[in-house]
Amino acid sequence: MAVLTERIDEITVARMQSFFRTLSEKDQRRYAALEAQRLGHGGISSIAEILGCSTKTISRGIDELDKLDDDPAAGRVRRPGAGRKKRSRPTQKSNGI
């Protein structure tokens, strides 16, 4: 990674990391994928290290970018059924008062 980090100065790395933290989960994948593709060979592992994400996450982002025109997740952050389950509302019991 030494060769690639020489092309990215410390200020740019700090900005990339700050920006990355503001994005949704889906947008983080896609941003990391764009940056990795921009760097070319070795970009996935370099960006994974810089942004603190998995190389699998970046690979998944690249796949999503390739299928962006037919994006089934448009407007969504997570896949249907993913995430925390909703709490059921407790039934009200009378206190006998």
Side-chain angles (χ1 to χ4, degrees), residues 25-96:
E25 187 177 317
K26 175 177 68 173
D27 292 335
Q28 284 181 346
R29 280 193 306 272
R30 293 175 178 184
Y31 172 68
L34 282 172
E35 290 295 333
Q37 287 181 323
R38 187 176 64 81
L39 290 177
H41 181 75
I44 291 177
S45 58
S46 296
I47 293 298
E49 187 172 327
I50 289 170
L51 298 178
C53 63
S54 168
T55 56
K56 285 184 179 183
T57 297
I58 296 174
S59 296
R60 184 170 165 205
I62 291 171
D63 290 342
E64 289 177 7
L65 290 176
D66 290 342
K67 300 172 187 169
L68 203 52
D69 293 335
D70 302 321
D71 186 11
R76 299 187 61 87
V77 174
R78 296 193 172 162
R79 290 178 281 166
R84 185 178 297 228
K85 304 298 177 207
K86 294 182 179 179
R87 273 181 51 190
S88 61
R89 299 183 108 190
T91 59
Q92 291 183 352
K93 296 181 183 177
S94 77
N95 291 336

Side-chain angles (χ1 to χ4, degrees), residues 2-33:
V3 174
L4 291 176
T5 53
E6 290 173 6
R7 291 193 280 168
I8 304 175
D9 61 282
E10 291 179 25
I11 294 171
T12 303
V13 167
R15 286 182 178 168
M16 288 169 65
Q17 291 168 338
S18 294
F19 178 65
F20 183 76
R21 288 189 297 265
T22 67
L23 300 173
S24 70
E25 187 177 317
K26 175 177 68 173
D27 292 335
Q28 284 181 346
R29 280 193 306 272
R30 293 175 178 184
Y31 172 68

